[in-house]
Amino acid sequence: TVFWLMDMYPDALEAKNPGSNKSLTYKLLNWLAHRQYRWNHHIVELGACMKSALENKQVPKEKLTTIQNWTDDSVFLQDLTPKKDGLFNEFKDRFVLTYFGNMGIGHRFDSILELCKRFANHPKVSIIFVGGGNRKPEIEAWMAENPMDNMHLYGYISPEQVPELLA
């Protein structure tokens, strides 16, 4: 059997709620996760950090394969010259703080949003969130409570648009 691992539970719970690793629920989930790692013939993980975490749990390297489900790395080897009619042209003369990716339950945004407050309505700084997930509504609610002219939230964008935003 092949196990496609998208998130590290219960590790993500501990990251979200420090100290939760002492709970019975955490211990049970941890036991089940370790059984999954042992029982499956192969594990597909998403990247170097996840691979390292699994190796730290004594999962043999030969059982692991990385298949990234995000943007293909080759997209960053393109010409990053901004397009004249590009979607993100309004940001071309600004310093841009960007968050790309999943806004999931295991991700913390308190420090990022605190940083956003520091740059509220700054004329030379744009703050851009790109992605989706269960916590995206929290970001939207925070933006409604803390309106800023220089903060923008986009859903997922195409891989072809990533270099344009980074340019």
Side-chain angles (χ1 to χ4, degrees):
T1 57
V2 175
F3 182 43
W4 185 15
L5 186 63
M6 299 291 287
D7 287 301
M8 299 276 304
Y9 283 99
D11 304 57
L13 298 174
E14 171 63 16
K16 174 97 171 109
N17 300 307
S20 63
N21 62 348
K22 294 172 180 55
S23 73
L24 182 60
T25 302
Y26 179 95
K27 290 175 183 177
L28 175 62
L29 290 173
N30 194 47
W31 180 83
L32 289 169
H34 281 274
R35 295 299 174 266
Q36 282 286 337
Y37 304 151
R38 271 190 284 233
W39 290 342
N40 286 287
H41 295 97
H42 205 81
I43 300 171
V44 175
E45 33 72 19
L46 303 178
C49 292
M50 191 176 277
K51 185 174 191 171
S52 176
L54 289 165
E55 288 172 357
N56 288 338
K57 294 177 182 293
Q58 276 61 65
V59 177
K61 287 181 183 184
E62 53 276 0
K63 256 183 129 167
L64 302 173
T65 297
T66 302
I67 300 177
Q68 296 180 345
N69 66 345
W70 310 114
T71 300
D72 179 6
D73 292 345
S74 66
V75 78
F76 298 104
L77 301 176
Q78 302 177 30
D79 177 16
L80 294 181
T81 305
K83 296 178 180 150
K84 290 186 183 202
D85 60 345
L87 177 64
F88 303 107
N89 273 354
E90 66 183 286
F91 310 118
K92 69 179 180 178
D93 295 324
R94 294 174 167 222
F95 180 78
V96 180
L97 300 169
T98 309
Y99 178 89
F100 279 97
N102 187 24
M103 299 172 199
I105 203 161
H107 299 90
R108 296 184 61 185
F109 292 98
D110 50 342
S111 58
I112 296 171
L113 295 174
E114 189 59 39
L115 179 69
C116 292
K117 283 183 186 178
R118 292 183 185 187
F119 290 100
N121 300 313
H122 192 290
K124 291 290 184 183
V125 176
S126 288
I127 304 158
I128 303 171
F129 283 79
V130 178
N134 330 20
R135 298 203 55 205
K136 185 177 179 184
E138 291 177 38
I139 305 294
E140 292 168 330
W142 189 91
M143 289 175 70
E145 293 168 13
N146 301 277
M148 296 182 210
D149 293 338
N150 62 332
M151 189 169 177
H152 310 273
L153 177 62
Y154 296 93
Y156 292 107
I157 61 175
S158 72
E160 294 76 28
Q161 291 174 306
V162 172
E164 183 183 338
L165 183 55
L166 295 175

Coordinates of all heavy atoms in Angstrom, one line a residue, residues 7 61 65-66 74 92 122 132 153:
D7 N -0.7 16.0 5.5 CA -0.4 16.8 6.7 C 0.1 15.9 7.8 O -0.2 14.7 7.8 CB -1.7 17.4 7.2 CG -2.2 18.6 6.4 OD1 -1.4 19.6 6.3 OD2 -3.3 18.6 5.8
K61 N 14.3 6.0 4.8 CA 14.4 6.8 3.6 C 13.9 6.1 2.4 O 13.2 6.8 1.5 CB 15.8 7.3 3.4 CG 16.4 8.3 4.4 CD 17.8 8.7 4.0 CE 18.3 9.6 5.1 NZ 19.6 10.1 4.8
T65 N 9.0 9.0 -0.8 CA 9.1 9.7 -2.1 C 8.4 11.1 -1.9 O 7.3 11.2 -1.4 CB 8.3 8.9 -3.2 OG1 9.0 7.7 -3.3 CG2 8.4 9.7 -4.5
T66 N 9.1 12.1 -2.5 CA 8.6 13.5 -2.4 C 7.9 13.7 -3.8 O 8.5 13.6 -4.8 CB 9.7 14.5 -2.2 OG1 10.4 14.2 -1.0 CG2 9.2 15.9 -2.2
S74 N 10.2 24.7 -11.7 CA 10.7 25.3 -13.0 C 10.1 26.7 -13.3 O 10.6 27.5 -14.1 CB 10.5 24.4 -14.2 OG 9.1 24.2 -14.4
K92 N 4.0 47.2 -8.7 CA 5.4 47.1 -9.3 C 6.3 48.1 -8.6 O 7.5 47.9 -8.6 CB 5.3 47.4 -10.8 CG 4.9 48.8 -11.2 CD 4.9 48.9 -12.7 CE 4.4 50.3 -13.0 NZ 4.4 50.6 -14.4
H122 N 0.7 51.9 4.4 CA 2.0 52.4 4.1 C 2.0 52.6 2.5 O 1.7 51.7 1.8 CB 3.1 51.4 4.5 CG 4.4 52.0 4.4 ND1 5.1 52.3 3.2 CD2 5.3 52.4 5.4 CE1 6.2 52.8 3.4 NE2 6.4 52.9 4.7
G132 N -5.8 29.6 -0.2 CA -7.1 29.2 0.3 C -7.0 28.2 1.5 O -5.8 27.9 1.9
L153 N -6.2 40.1 -0.8 CA -6.4 38.7 -0.6 C -6.9 38.1 -2.0 O -7.9 38.5 -2.5 CB -7.3 38.3 0.5 CG -7.7 36.9 0.7 CD1 -6.5 36.1 1.2 CD2 -8.8 36.8 1.8

